[in-house]
Amino acid sequence: MGMITIRRHEDVLEIRSRMLHGLRSVKALSVKKYSGRLKLKEEPMAYQKRVRQEWE
């Protein structure tokens, strides 16, 4: 996203049109390939304790 300079005497509609013109279209992300179940090798809490080494 870029910067838009708003001057004191500009019309609201003009500012809004410049803002909308500056937006980029976003390509939709297909999340279907990420759906499913995880097969973990260890317990999630045990993993957190091992990685963070904060909890006892």
Side-chain angles (χ1 to χ4, degrees):
M1 179 101 182
M3 291 182 59
I4 297 174
T5 303
I6 300 174
R7 293 181 183 86
R8 182 178 292 185
H9 300 291
E10 283 186 325
D11 186 24
V12 173
L13 296 175
E14 182 182 332
I15 295 168
R16 186 177 294 157
S17 69
R18 284 196 304 165
M19 286 173 53
L20 293 176
H21 180 71
L23 293 177
R24 296 180 187 169
S25 62
V26 178
K27 186 178 175 183
L29 174 67
S30 174
V31 295
K32 193 170 187 176
K33 65 180 179 180
Y34 298 111
S35 67
R37 294 185 178 182
L38 293 175
K39 295 181 181 179
L40 301 175
K41 296 180 181 179
E42 62 181 312
E43 188 87 20
M45 288 300 292
Y47 173 77
Q48 282 186 6
K49 286 181 183 180
R50 182 175 55 81
V51 172
R52 295 185 182 181
Q53 296 178 359
E54 298 174 352
W55 302 334
E56 293 179 351

